[in-house]
Amino acid sequence: MHCGRLRGNSRNRPFSFKMVIDFHAHFYPEKVAAKALAVCAARIPAWSDGTRSGLEASMREAGIDLAVGLTVVNAPGNSTNINAWAVRENRRPLIMTGGIHPDEPEPLRTIETVAAAGLPGIKVHPEYQHFRFDEERLFPVWERCEELGLFVVTHAGWDAMFDSPCRGTPEKLAEFHRRFPGVKLILAHLGGLAMWDDVEKYLTGLPVYLDLAMASPDYIEADRLLRIIRAHGAGRILFGTDSPWYGQKEQLGFIRSLPLSPAEQEQIFHRNAAELLRLP
Ligand SMILES: [Zn+2]
């Protein structure tokens, strides 16, 4: 375990804390990784091969010590298998989330299994899984997550793979937070990919976490990103890359190039994630 030094980038001083955590990464089982990447290739090209070993190699190259592997259940009948896979893969340097599918027959049972297996949270995706956060049929799901202390990570905003209208807008996500203020909510993509006006209007300052996946130069200017981080407070911002859909080294370099204080860097790259993951 190295000490958070970003190799190969002399512009940035070494970190003064022990561990850089990427809160938003993906990989796929060996057998399906190539296919998963090929399906998306026309709209969004990949930066690694989509396997666990590819992710770990990318982390070593970037100087990232720990990553959260976000798992999305792709069909109602697949949650048992996908969560069992996540539990098997839940070993350093990766910490896995579990998942539910909103249309599965017993999502509460699935959530209990995820919690009992020691996974820290679940990931959901309103576009990919075709649901809305204001659907009453799912309220017990969020209540159970709160009771069991599982965080809920959700995709937020536009997604290259899906056409509008978008279900997970900053406005809708703010509404969801107000309905379930006790749920530890983590909004990917800074609360709403490519919907930055609405992020600033509806989300900044609310007690929800925003991750930095895809908050990269292709999607947001550095000035605006810094303004959102400061308006929201670095205490609820999580470093994330969306690997393999963006480069970990590139995203780490971009966020490190922002004029953040050492204390803000420590929160964003390490402390906030460590607290959510209950690391010692
Ligand atoms: Zn992602």
Side-chain angles (χ1 to χ4, degrees), residues 48-64:
S48 76
D49 70 3
T51 63
R52 179 179 181 117
S53 58
L55 175 57
E56 290 190 18
S58 160
M59 290 167 66
R60 282 193 296 275
E61 200 203 335
I64 290 171

mmCIF file with all atom_site columns, all heavy atoms in Angstrom, residues 48-64:
data_model
loop_
_atom_site.group_PDB
_atom_site.id
_atom_site.type_symbol
_atom_site.label_atom_id
_atom_site.label_alt_id
_atom_site.label_comp_id
_atom_site.label_asym_id
_atom_site.label_entity_id
_atom_site.label_seq_id
_atom_site.pdbx_PDB_ins_code
_atom_site.Cartn_x
_atom_site.Cartn_y
_atom_site.Cartn_z
_atom_site.occupancy
_atom_site.B_iso_or_equiv
_atom_site.pdbx_formal_charge
_atom_site.auth_seq_id
_atom_site.auth_comp_id
_atom_site.auth_asym_id
_atom_site.auth_atom_id
_atom_site.pdbx_PDB_model_num
ATOM 1   N N   . SER A 1 48 ? -10.378 0.575  -19.940 1.00 0.00 ? 48 SER A N   1
ATOM 2   C CA  . SER A 1 48 ? -9.638  -0.633 -19.565 1.00 0.00 ? 48 SER A CA  1
ATOM 3   C C   . SER A 1 48 ? -10.458 -1.811 -20.077 1.00 0.00 ? 48 SER A C   1
ATOM 4   O O   . SER A 1 48 ? -11.486 -1.614 -20.731 1.00 0.00 ? 48 SER A O   1
ATOM 5   C CB  . SER A 1 48 ? -9.400  -0.710 -18.051 1.00 0.00 ? 48 SER A CB  1
ATOM 6   O OG  . SER A 1 48 ? -10.585 -1.086 -17.388 1.00 0.00 ? 48 SER A OG  1
ATOM 7   N N   . ASP A 1 49 ? -10.031 -3.035 -19.764 1.00 0.00 ? 49 ASP A N   1
ATOM 8   C CA  . ASP A 1 49 ? -10.708 -4.192 -20.379 1.00 0.00 ? 49 ASP A CA  1
ATOM 9   C C   . ASP A 1 49 ? -11.969 -4.636 -19.637 1.00 0.00 ? 49 ASP A C   1
ATOM 10  O O   . ASP A 1 49 ? -12.598 -5.616 -20.014 1.00 0.00 ? 49 ASP A O   1
ATOM 11  C CB  . ASP A 1 49 ? -9.725  -5.348 -20.575 1.00 0.00 ? 49 ASP A CB  1
ATOM 12  C CG  . ASP A 1 49 ? -9.297  -5.975 -19.256 1.00 0.00 ? 49 ASP A CG  1
ATOM 13  O OD1 . ASP A 1 49 ? -9.806  -5.564 -18.184 1.00 0.00 ? 49 ASP A OD1 1
ATOM 14  O OD2 . ASP A 1 49 ? -8.456  -6.887 -19.287 1.00 0.00 ? 49 ASP A OD2 1
ATOM 15  N N   . GLY A 1 50 ? -12.335 -3.925 -18.560 1.00 0.00 ? 50 GLY A N   1
ATOM 16  C CA  . GLY A 1 50 ? -13.595 -4.226 -17.879 1.00 0.00 ? 50 GLY A CA  1
ATOM 17  C C   . GLY A 1 50 ? -13.543 -5.398 -16.908 1.00 0.00 ? 50 GLY A C   1
ATOM 18  O O   . GLY A 1 50 ? -14.552 -5.758 -16.326 1.00 0.00 ? 50 GLY A O   1
ATOM 19  N N   . THR A 1 51 ? -12.345 -5.978 -16.718 1.00 0.00 ? 51 THR A N   1
ATOM 20  C CA  . THR A 1 51 ? -12.222 -7.087 -15.763 1.00 0.00 ? 51 THR A CA  1
ATOM 21  C C   . THR A 1 51 ? -11.673 -6.573 -14.432 1.00 0.00 ? 51 THR A C   1
ATOM 22  O O   . THR A 1 51 ? -11.178 -5.443 -14.335 1.00 0.00 ? 51 THR A O   1
ATOM 23  C CB  . THR A 1 51 ? -11.236 -8.152 -16.276 1.00 0.00 ? 51 THR A CB  1
ATOM 24  O OG1 . THR A 1 51 ? -9.933  -7.535 -16.368 1.00 0.00 ? 51 THR A OG1 1
ATOM 25  C CG2 . THR A 1 51 ? -11.651 -8.674 -17.643 1.00 0.00 ? 51 THR A CG2 1
ATOM 26  N N   . ARG A 1 52 ? -11.727 -7.431 -13.430 1.00 0.00 ? 52 ARG A N   1
ATOM 27  C CA  . ARG A 1 52 ? -11.144 -7.081 -12.130 1.00 0.00 ? 52 ARG A CA  1
ATOM 28  C C   . ARG A 1 52 ? -9.641  -6.805 -12.266 1.00 0.00 ? 52 ARG A C   1
ATOM 29  O O   . ARG A 1 52 ? -9.137  -5.822 -11.741 1.00 0.00 ? 52 ARG A O   1
ATOM 30  C CB  . ARG A 1 52 ? -11.394 -8.216 -11.133 1.00 0.00 ? 52 ARG A CB  1
ATOM 31  C CG  . ARG A 1 52 ? -10.794 -7.904 -9.786  1.00 0.00 ? 52 ARG A CG  1
ATOM 32  C CD  . ARG A 1 52 ? -11.015 -8.984 -8.733  1.00 0.00 ? 52 ARG A CD  1
ATOM 33  N NE  . ARG A 1 52 ? -10.410 -8.525 -7.502  1.00 0.00 ? 52 ARG A NE  1
ATOM 34  C CZ  . ARG A 1 52 ? -11.066 -8.282 -6.366  1.00 0.00 ? 52 ARG A CZ  1
ATOM 35  N NH1 . ARG A 1 52 ? -12.350 -8.521 -6.278  1.00 0.00 ? 52 ARG A NH1 1
ATOM 36  N NH2 . ARG A 1 52 ? -10.431 -7.824 -5.300  1.00 0.00 ? 52 ARG A NH2 1
ATOM 37  N N   . SER A 1 53 ? -8.954  -7.676 -12.990 1.00 0.00 ? 53 SER A N   1
ATOM 38  C CA  . SER A 1 53 ? -7.501  -7.465 -13.094 1.00 0.00 ? 53 SER A CA  1
ATOM 39  C C   . SER A 1 53 ? -7.193  -6.192 -13.870 1.00 0.00 ? 53 SER A C   1
ATOM 40  O O   . SER A 1 53 ? -6.229  -5.486 -13.560 1.00 0.00 ? 53 SER A O   1
ATOM 41  C CB  . SER A 1 53 ? -6.813  -8.683 -13.713 1.00 0.00 ? 53 SER A CB  1
ATOM 42  O OG  . SER A 1 53 ? -7.363  -8.938 -14.993 1.00 0.00 ? 53 SER A OG  1
ATOM 43  N N   . GLY A 1 54 ? -8.037  -5.864 -14.862 1.00 0.00 ? 54 GLY A N   1
ATOM 44  C CA  . GLY A 1 54 ? -7.851  -4.613 -15.595 1.00 0.00 ? 54 GLY A CA  1
ATOM 45  C C   . GLY A 1 54 ? -8.046  -3.404 -14.695 1.00 0.00 ? 54 GLY A C   1
ATOM 46  O O   . GLY A 1 54 ? -7.301  -2.419 -14.759 1.00 0.00 ? 54 GLY A O   1
ATOM 47  N N   . LEU A 1 55 ? -9.048  -3.481 -13.830 1.00 0.00 ? 55 LEU A N   1
ATOM 48  C CA  . LEU A 1 55 ? -9.304  -2.381 -12.889 1.00 0.00 ? 55 LEU A CA  1
ATOM 49  C C   . LEU A 1 55 ? -8.148  -2.250 -11.901 1.00 0.00 ? 55 LEU A C   1
ATOM 50  O O   . LEU A 1 55 ? -7.670  -1.144 -11.622 1.00 0.00 ? 55 LEU A O   1
ATOM 51  C CB  . LEU A 1 55 ? -10.624 -2.631 -12.154 1.00 0.00 ? 55 LEU A CB  1
ATOM 52  C CG  . LEU A 1 55 ? -10.986 -1.637 -11.038 1.00 0.00 ? 55 LEU A CG  1
ATOM 53  C CD1 . LEU A 1 55 ? -11.048 -0.202 -11.549 1.00 0.00 ? 55 LEU A CD1 1
ATOM 54  C CD2 . LEU A 1 55 ? -12.316 -2.011 -10.393 1.00 0.00 ? 55 LEU A CD2 1
ATOM 55  N N   . GLU A 1 56 ? -7.684  -3.369 -11.391 1.00 0.00 ? 56 GLU A N   1
ATOM 56  C CA  . GLU A 1 56 ? -6.593  -3.310 -10.410 1.00 0.00 ? 56 GLU A CA  1
ATOM 57  C C   . GLU A 1 56 ? -5.319  -2.747 -11.046 1.00 0.00 ? 56 GLU A C   1
ATOM 58  O O   . GLU A 1 56 ? -4.578  -1.992 -10.413 1.00 0.00 ? 56 GLU A O   1
ATOM 59  C CB  . GLU A 1 56 ? -6.344  -4.688 -9.790  1.00 0.00 ? 56 GLU A CB  1
ATOM 60  C CG  . GLU A 1 56 ? -7.482  -5.097 -8.867  1.00 0.00 ? 56 GLU A CG  1
ATOM 61  C CD  . GLU A 1 56 ? -7.166  -6.349 -8.050  1.00 0.00 ? 56 GLU A CD  1
ATOM 62  O OE1 . GLU A 1 56 ? -5.973  -6.710 -7.936  1.00 0.00 ? 56 GLU A OE1 1
ATOM 63  O OE2 . GLU A 1 56 ? -8.116  -6.969 -7.537  1.00 0.00 ? 56 GLU A OE2 1
ATOM 64  N N   . ALA A 1 57 ? -5.064  -3.105 -12.313 1.00 0.00 ? 57 ALA A N   1
ATOM 65  C CA  . ALA A 1 57 ? -3.884  -2.573 -13.007 1.00 0.00 ? 57 ALA A CA  1
ATOM 66  C C   . ALA A 1 57 ? -4.024  -1.059 -13.178 1.00 0.00 ? 57 ALA A C   1
ATOM 67  O O   . ALA A 1 57 ? -3.076  -0.296 -12.975 1.00 0.00 ? 57 ALA A O   1
ATOM 68  C CB  . ALA A 1 57 ? -3.713  -3.255 -14.359 1.00 0.00 ? 57 ALA A CB  1
ATOM 69  N N   . SER A 1 58 ? -5.232  -0.629 -13.538 1.00 0.00 ? 58 SER A N   1
ATOM 70  C CA  . SER A 1 58 ? -5.492  0.800  -13.711 1.00 0.00 ? 58 SER A CA  1
ATOM 71  C C   . SER A 1 58 ? -5.313  1.553  -12.381 1.00 0.00 ? 58 SER A C   1
ATOM 72  O O   . SER A 1 58 ? -4.760  2.654  -12.340 1.00 0.00 ? 58 SER A O   1
ATOM 73  C CB  . SER A 1 58 ? -6.916  0.969  -14.257 1.00 0.00 ? 58 SER A CB  1
ATOM 74  O OG  . SER A 1 58 ? -7.393  2.260  -14.039 1.00 0.00 ? 58 SER A OG  1
ATOM 75  N N   . MET A 1 59 ? -5.754  0.937  -11.284 1.00 0.00 ? 59 MET A N   1
ATOM 76  C CA  . MET A 1 59 ? -5.599  1.559  -9.962  1.00 0.00 ? 59 MET A CA  1
ATOM 77  C C   . MET A 1 59 ? -4.123  1.712  -9.601  1.00 0.00 ? 59 MET A C   1
ATOM 78  O O   . MET A 1 59 ? -3.701  2.759  -9.115  1.00 0.00 ? 59 MET A O   1
ATOM 79  C CB  . MET A 1 59 ? -6.295  0.706  -8.879  1.00 0.00 ? 59 MET A CB  1
ATOM 80  C CG  . MET A 1 59 ? -7.808  0.742  -8.976  1.00 0.00 ? 59 MET A CG  1
ATOM 81  S SD  . MET A 1 59 ? -8.599  -0.542 -7.961  1.00 0.00 ? 59 MET A SD  1
ATOM 82  C CE  . MET A 1 59 ? -8.176  -0.002 -6.302  1.00 0.00 ? 59 MET A CE  1
ATOM 83  N N   . ARG A 1 60 ? -3.348  0.669  -9.878  1.00 0.00 ? 60 ARG A N   1
ATOM 84  C CA  . ARG A 1 60 ? -1.909  0.741  -9.563  1.00 0.00 ? 60 ARG A CA  1
ATOM 85  C C   . ARG A 1 60 ? -1.251  1.857  -10.361 1.00 0.00 ? 60 ARG A C   1
ATOM 86  O O   . ARG A 1 60 ? -0.451  2.624  -9.848  1.00 0.00 ? 60 ARG A O   1
ATOM 87  C CB  . ARG A 1 60 ? -1.228  -0.598 -9.873  1.00 0.00 ? 60 ARG A CB  1
ATOM 88  C CG  . ARG A 1 60 ? -1.462  -1.667 -8.811  1.00 0.00 ? 60 ARG A CG  1
ATOM 89  C CD  . ARG A 1 60 ? -0.532  -2.853 -9.001  1.00 0.00 ? 60 ARG A CD  1
ATOM 90  N NE  . ARG A 1 60 ? -0.771  -3.558 -10.252 1.00 0.00 ? 60 ARG A NE  1
ATOM 91  C CZ  . ARG A 1 60 ? -1.691  -4.522 -10.419 1.00 0.00 ? 60 ARG A CZ  1
ATOM 92  N NH1 . ARG A 1 60 ? -2.452  -4.892 -9.407  1.00 0.00 ? 60 ARG A NH1 1
ATOM 93  N NH2 . ARG A 1 60 ? -1.850  -5.099 -11.587 1.00 0.00 ? 60 ARG A NH2 1
ATOM 94  N N   . GLU A 1 61 ? -1.626  1.938  -11.635 1.00 0.00 ? 61 GLU A N   1
ATOM 95  C CA  . GLU A 1 61 ? -1.015  2.960  -12.485 1.00 0.00 ? 61 GLU A CA  1
ATOM 96  C C   . GLU A 1 61 ? -1.392  4.364  -12.016 1.00 0.00 ? 61 GLU A C   1
ATOM 97  O O   . GLU A 1 61 ? -0.577  5.287  -12.046 1.00 0.00 ? 61 GLU A O   1
ATOM 98  C CB  . GLU A 1 61 ? -1.471  2.745  -13.935 1.00 0.00 ? 61 GLU A CB  1
ATOM 99  C CG  . GLU A 1 61 ? -0.550  3.409  -14.934 1.00 0.00 ? 61 GLU A CG  1
ATOM 100 C CD  . GLU A 1 61 ? -1.234  3.693  -16.258 1.00 0.00 ? 61 GLU A CD  1
ATOM 101 O OE1 . GLU A 1 61 ? -2.224  2.992  -16.582 1.00 0.00 ? 61 GLU A OE1 1
ATOM 102 O OE2 . GLU A 1 61 ? -0.785  4.624  -16.949 1.00 0.00 ? 61 GLU A OE2 1
ATOM 103 N N   . ALA A 1 62 ? -2.638  4.523  -11.575 1.00 0.00 ? 62 ALA A N   1
ATOM 104 C CA  . ALA A 1 62 ? -3.117  5.850  -11.165 1.00 0.00 ? 62 ALA A CA  1
ATOM 105 C C   . ALA A 1 62 ? -2.642  6.224  -9.759  1.00 0.00 ? 62 ALA A C   1
ATOM 106 O O   . ALA A 1 62 ? -2.538  7.400  -9.440  1.00 0.00 ? 62 ALA A O   1
ATOM 107 C CB  . ALA A 1 62 ? -4.640  5.879  -11.219 1.00 0.00 ? 62 ALA A CB  1
ATOM 108 N N   . GLY A 1 63 ? -2.355  5.218  -8.923  1.00 0.00 ? 63 GLY A N   1
ATOM 109 C CA  . GLY A 1 63 ? -2.065  5.500  -7.530  1.00 0.00 ? 63 GLY A CA  1
ATOM 110 C C   . GLY A 1 63 ? -3.335  5.562  -6.697  1.00 0.00 ? 63 GLY A C   1
ATOM 111 O O   . GLY A 1 63 ? -3.472  6.393  -5.806  1.00 0.00 ? 63 GLY A O   1
ATOM 112 N N   . ILE A 1 64 ? -4.283  4.682  -7.009  1.00 0.00 ? 64 ILE A N   1
ATOM 113 C CA  . ILE A 1 64 ? -5.529  4.582  -6.234  1.00 0.00 ? 64 ILE A CA  1
ATOM 114 C C   . ILE A 1 64 ? -5.454  3.301  -5.402  1.00 0.00 ? 64 ILE A C   1
ATOM 115 O O   . ILE A 1 64 ? -5.149  2.236  -5.923  1.00 0.00 ? 64 ILE A O   1
ATOM 116 C CB  . ILE A 1 64 ? -6.740  4.563  -7.184  1.00 0.00 ? 64 ILE A CB  1
ATOM 117 C CG1 . ILE A 1 64 ? -6.904  5.951  -7.829  1.00 0.00 ? 64 ILE A CG1 1
ATOM 118 C CG2 . ILE A 1 64 ? -8.024  4.156  -6.451  1.00 0.00 ? 64 ILE A CG2 1
ATOM 119 C CD1 . ILE A 1 64 ? -7.924  6.009  -8.946  1.00 0.00 ? 64 ILE A CD1 1
#
